[in-house]
Amino acid sequence: MRQLIIIGASGHGKVVADCAAKNGYENIIFLDDDKNVTHCGKYKVVGRSKEAARMSGDVIVAIGNANFRRKIQTSIAENRLSTLIHPEAVIGDDVEIGVGSIVMAGVVINSGSRIGKGVIVNTSSSIDHDCMIGDFVHVAVGAHLAGSVLVDDNSWIGAGAIINNNLHVCSSCMIGAGAVVVKNIEEEGTYVGVPAKRIMNKC
Ligand SMILES: CC(C)(COP(=O)(O)OP(=O)(O)OC[C@H]1O[C@@H](n2cnc3c(N)ncnc32)[C@H](O)[C@@H]1OP(=O)(O)O)[C@@H](O)C(=O)NCCC(=O)NCCS
């Protein structure tokens, strides 16, 4: 029986579990560092994240915060990491998806794109041709990246945001929900609005 250990029993964890079940995992269990959390949807929380090392089964980290996701994922041997692609996602030719990444339902990733490790490509978002998405990026629900967009490690593209084609978003940026990015973003920070403007120098 295929077992998957999901680290992080949040709402995001529930969606990851749905996707895992559609990928053929029959035994799904959760680990979470909050000892007060006992369940994630219908699944049990059976221990803390550090216990993954001594348990058998594949592992995926379902934590939204990029720094925590990176820290936990890099503590786990790569050959134990699962990569989940929902059967209702559309993946073009010559697309590479790194270990520990998850591609949710309704996503389209077009030809020639590269998706890093530990990336969340969330429900109904799209990544057009020849995009380069760094490690531990989150493309939130309904966000759209036009062709040849480059997003560096750890950045978060908020729900419904749009990044125009050929643009670069540097690492550790937060692009707010509904923002439209029309110029390269070369400084870390939080950007909101149409066109997107920096409102904070950190994310
Ligand atoms: C951008 C964001 C991170 C800012 O959150 P925050 O640091 O808590 O900032 P605040 O809510 O204090 O907002 C600061 C200012 O920016 C404005 N603002 C915040 N988010 C905005 C957005 N998405 N678009 C336009 N303006 C926004 C606020 O109205 C506020 O303006 P004011 O100072 O004139 O009142 C957050 O609002 C956001 O958009 N998060 C993305 C959520 C998301 O996509 N989730 C996806 C889950 S899959």
Side-chain angles (χ1 to χ4, degrees), residues 91-103:
I91 311 293
D93 267 355
D94 186 30
V95 168
E96 289 176 10
I97 300 177
V99 289
S101 292
I102 174 151
V103 177

Side-chain angles (χ1 to χ4, degrees), residues 162-185:
I162 293 172
I163 317 288
N164 280 2
N165 52 304
N166 300 314
L167 293 181
H168 174 220
V169 175
C170 70
S171 63
S172 304
C173 284
M174 159 64 79
I175 308 299
V180 178
V181 174
V182 300
K183 292 180 184 160
N184 288 330
I185 290 186

Side-chain angles (χ1 to χ4, degrees), residues 95-136:
V95 168
E96 289 176 10
I97 300 177
V99 289
S101 292
I102 174 151
V103 177
M104 302 289 198
V107 165
V108 178
I109 303 178
N110 277 338
S111 299
S113 287
R114 300 282 176 269
I115 312 295
K117 300 174 186 176
V119 173
I120 302 168
V121 189
N122 222 321
T123 309
S124 295
S125 62
S126 68
I127 295 176
D128 210 339
H129 63 90
D130 301 307
C131 288
M132 306 280 281
I133 309 300
D135 295 343
F136 303 100

Side-chain angles (χ1 to χ4, degrees), residues 52-93:
R54 64 164 181 77
M55 298 169 77
S56 61
D58 298 342
V59 181
I60 194 155
V61 185
I63 295 175
N65 179 290
N67 291 322
F68 289 133
R69 192 161 75 255
R70 176 187 287 274
K71 187 171 172 212
I72 294 179
Q73 176 164 325
T74 52
S75 74
I76 293 161
E78 279 208 349
N79 64 1
R80 294 195 58 202
L81 291 169
S82 182
T83 303
L84 298 176
I85 299 172
H86 194 285
E88 284 157 39
V90 176
I91 311 293
D93 267 355

Side-chain angles (χ1 to χ4, degrees), residues 122 138-141 156-160 174-179 190-194 199-200:
N122 222 321
H138 182 175
V139 179
V141 293
W156 175 303
I157 312 299
M174 159 64 79
I175 308 299
T190 298
Y191 295 77
V192 301
V194 182
I199 57 163
M200 281 176 257

